[in-house]
Amino acid sequence: MFKRSPSLTEQTKAYIKERILNNEFNGGRIPPETELASDMGVSRTTIREALSRLETEGTILRKQGAGTFVNQPGLQIKSRLEEIWSYERVLEAHGYTPTVRVLRVAEEKAGPQLAAELNIAANDSVLVIEKLFLEDDRPVVLACNRIPKQTIVNPYDEAACRLPLYDFVELCCQQDFSYYLSEIIPVLADDTVAGILQIPPHTALFTFEEVGYNAENEPILKASSYFRDDLLRFRLIRRRI
Amino acid sequence: MFKRSPSLTEQTKAYIKERILNNEFNGGRIPPETELASDMGVSRTTIREALSRLETEGTILRKQGAGTFVNQPGLQIKSRLEEIWSYERVLEAHGYTPTVRVLRVAEEKAGPQLAAELNIAANDSVLVIEKLFLEDDRPVVLACNRIPKQTIVNPYDEAACRLPLYDFVELCCQQDFSYYLSEIIPVLADDTVAGILQIPPHTALFTFEEVGYNAENEPILKASSYFRDDLLRFRLIRRRI
DNA sequence: AAGTGGTCTAGACCACACT
DNA sequence: GTGTGGTCTAGACCACTTA
């Protein structure tokens, strides 16, 4: 029934999710794992891994001894904090059709703090790319990214700067972008940020301050992002561990 | 080597983590999965599940074809947002020895918004428990919890209100607390909150607004929490999906 | 070429929920 | 008791990295 790639688990997950969205399960009850396995011609392990991923996403609910159930539609989550990868996709998940505006591309010298975070020397050059994500001309996210010049091996142009950051890194730094380590920090909007995001000054915002790492676990960029809370709100499922 | 409960996977994970903390792996390289499995007398599946959990926690790093490695100590995370369950434990993880102060226990009538969130009728009674978590007399977290009176089946006293919320719910509501659905919202501290947390008014804070659900997926409580950003900061690992 | 993690299988037994 | 999800096993093959 399925091909080899992408993984059977991912195909299984997508297939079950589609059946959920089509309301194919009476009363929200999903068939037993053994039944799903024999129906779809895969092992129960594969089914279980697919169901686990759907459970972490909040799509389904499992009760030991009782069964597996579709979660209420109201509880489905649009933007899970851990899964944000590009703001374009986050905005699309919210039903927006985002546009990207590159506000600034410049070179700066790294201050001592930035140098320490990126494991470079103070006063080394960094490339600064400031991007604004808009939905219907309303600014939603302001992102400021700093990448050490020495990691940029290929020439870049205006178009490259418009790309999602991980594409830029793979294209111009020939590095794999592996993960972000993020801090969530509440701040008051200063005049500059308030002006760009078109909100009153001294509004409370939250920001991401994050360092991006490559597959070798070396820091390759620093990103600071500001969000319009009224247009984009993050949700989170917290489970007992 | 191991007992049956807690699960082999959890014991395996704890054992590997202990060896990591003891610096038993030369050069940060963790032995191959097959070797770990035969050493510890469990199947490779069990080892893999344990390693997966250590990876999501940010403790280790896996590279296909290359090996498994200990993550840099600086990248270890103290309070993963998704894993917060009681604020006592979060503060302990930060090296604090927290105390809890119950500020208020009262009954209120539910307004229309709260009633909708908790799926009760407007003007139904809710029990309000306001708690402050301190570290060395410095307030760190203010939490305000609202539980419909009708779900409280056992009598409660002052001591019960001091318990972590999930213990209170299991004790007095005879319900299993399953998960929270949380929103992260930046706000300006008003005078009341600022006074309680001992910070200047109009400081930017972030808050959790969250609804707690039982195993049957029914809302059982509403919680609003305020955090001293300077004393407790949340970190997050975001991976490419 | 050899060694590593990634995926998948078939089957066993356990813990829990229903009725 | 019966059926469900939860845990675990032993073994196969694949994809990737490293030398």
Side-chain angles (χ1 to χ4, degrees), chain B residues 22 67 72 173 191 204 218 234:
Chain B
N22 289 343
Q72 293 170 28
C173 306
D191 293 344
E218 299 156 344
F234 291 107

Side-chain angles (χ1 to χ4, degrees), chain A residues 86-241:
Chain A
S86 86
Y87 294 127
E88 287 92 335
R89 271 204 272 163
V90 171
L91 294 179
E92 283 164 13
H94 272 73
Y96 299 150
T97 47
T99 56
V100 185
R101 195 176 294 164
V102 177
L103 299 185
R104 190 162 68 101
V105 178
E107 280 185 36
E108 289 181 0
K109 301 287 179 197
Q113 192 195 337
L114 182 63
E117 286 172 329
L118 292 178
N119 201 19
I120 58 178
N123 290 323
D124 278 2
S125 283
V126 291
L127 177 67
V128 182
I129 303 177
E130 215 172 281
K131 290 199 283 189
L132 185 65
F133 299 84
L134 307 98
E135 164 336 84
D136 196 19
D137 287 328
R138 290 179 304 176
V140 183
V141 184
L142 170 65
C144 182
N145 306 296
R146 290 162 207 276
I147 306 169
K149 282 286 286 182
Q150 63 213 46
T151 66
I152 302 177
V153 294
N154 290 332
Y156 57 88
D157 56 13
E158 164 83 25
C161 294
R162 293 179 58 86
L163 293 174
L165 211 55
Y166 54 89
D167 286 334
F168 179 89
V169 167
E170 283 173 16
L171 197 66
C172 298
C173 305
Q174 293 180 337
Q175 304 229 23
D176 275 328
F177 202 148
S178 182
Y179 64 94
Y180 279 113
L181 193 60
S182 310
E183 290 197 337
I184 303 174
I185 305 177
V187 296
L188 287 181
D190 61 31
D191 291 344
T192 314
V193 171
I196 294 174
L197 288 179
Q198 297 174 17
I199 51 177
H202 307 298
T203 306
L205 292 179
F206 76 78
T207 66
F208 277 171
E209 290 287 339
E210 42 198 5
V211 178
Y213 293 84
N214 65 14
E216 278 69 44
N217 209 18
E218 299 155 347
I220 49 176
L221 68 88
K222 172 77 189 288
S224 310
S225 311
Y226 303 80
F227 303 91
R228 275 274 296 257
D229 172 61
D230 53 336
L231 296 178
L232 185 61
R233 184 163 285 181
F234 291 106
R235 291 193 175 82
L236 190 64
I237 293 183
R238 293 163 46 207
R239 291 173 194 286
R240 186 156 193 174
I241 48 170

Side-chain angles (χ1 to χ4, degrees), chain A residues 22-34:
Chain A
N22 289 343
N23 247 314
E24 293 183 33
F25 299 120
N26 290 331
R29 185 190 188 93
I30 292 172
E33 298 176 346
T34 43

Side-chain angles (χ1 to χ4, degrees), chain B residues 29-43:
Chain B
R29 188 192 184 91
I30 292 172
E33 299 176 346
T34 43
E35 191 181 321
L36 288 174
S38 65
D39 281 2
M40 304 173 62
V42 297
S43 78

Side-chain angles (χ1 to χ4, degrees), chain A residues 63 71 75 82 84-85 166 170 179-180 182-184 188 210 213 215 217 233 235-236 238 240, chain B residues 71-72 75 82 84 166 170 179-180 182-183 188 210 213 215 217 233 235-236 238-240:
Chain A
K63 298 185 201 173
N71 213 335
L75 301 180
E82 316 87 319
I84 302 165
W85 200 254
Y166 54 89
E170 283 173 16
Y179 64 94
Y180 279 113
S182 310
E183 290 197 337
I184 303 174
L188 287 181
E210 42 198 5
Y213 293 84
N217 209 18
R233 184 163 285 181
R235 291 193 175 82
L236 190 64
R238 293 163 46 207
R240 186 156 193 174
Chain B
N71 212 335
Q72 293 170 28
L75 301 182
E82 316 85 318
I84 302 165
Y166 54 90
E170 283 174 17
Y179 63 95
Y180 279 112
S182 309
E183 288 198 337
L188 288 180
E210 42 198 6
Y213 293 84
N217 210 18
R233 184 163 284 180
R235 291 193 177 83
L236 188 64
R238 292 163 44 207
R239 291 173 194 286
R240 185 154 192 179

Side-chain angles (χ1 to χ4, degrees), chain B residues 1 16 33 49 51 63 99 214:
Chain B
M1 165 165 191
I16 296 173
E33 299 176 346
E49 176 59 23
L51 291 176
K63 297 185 203 175
T99 56
N214 64 15

